[in-house]
C-alpha cells in the first residue's frame, strides 16, 4: 500500500475503535463470573496490533519538500 492520509485515517480509526472496545471489555472478561468468551479480547488485541502496524506503515510524510527556487 502507498503512503496516504486516507489509508492512515482508516487504520487509525480501527485502532481507536478496537482500543476502546478492549478498554470496555477486558474488565468484564477477567471477572470471575464472566459471561463473555475469552477469545473476544484476544481477537480485538490482534486486530488492534495489526491495525496499529498498518497505520504506521502507511502514514503519510507530513514534511513538505523544500522549495526548489531560491
Amino acid at each position: 500500500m502507498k503512503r496516504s492520509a486516507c489509508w492512515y485515517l482508516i487504520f487509525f480509526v480501527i485502532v481507536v475503535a478496537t482500543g476502546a472496545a478492549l478498554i470496555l471489555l477486558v474488565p468484564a472478561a477477567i471477572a470471575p463470573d464472566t459471561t463473555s468468551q475469552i477469545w473476544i479480547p484476544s481477537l480485538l488485541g490482534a486486530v488492534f496490533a495489526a491495525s496499529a502496524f498498518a497505520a504506521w506503515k502507511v502514514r503519510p510524510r507530513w514534511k513538505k519538500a523544500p522549495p526548489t527556487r531560491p
Side-chain angles (χ1 to χ4, degrees), residues 17-51:
T18 54
L22 279 170
I23 289 170
L24 294 173
L25 189 64
V26 166
I30 60 174
D33 57 343
T34 186
T35 58
S36 64
Q37 301 293 324
I38 195 64
W39 61 269
I40 295 173
S42 302
L43 179 68
L44 284 173
V47 170
F48 177 84
S51 297

Side-chain angles (χ1 to χ4, degrees), residues 1-11 53-62:
M1 275 189 246
K2 290 182 142 187
R3 291 177 177 246
S4 73
C6 179
W7 280 114
Y8 176 76
L9 289 175
I10 289 170
F11 286 118
F53 180 74
W56 178 72
K57 292 299 276 184
V58 300
R59 71 193 185 282
R61 292 184 176 96
W62 299 108

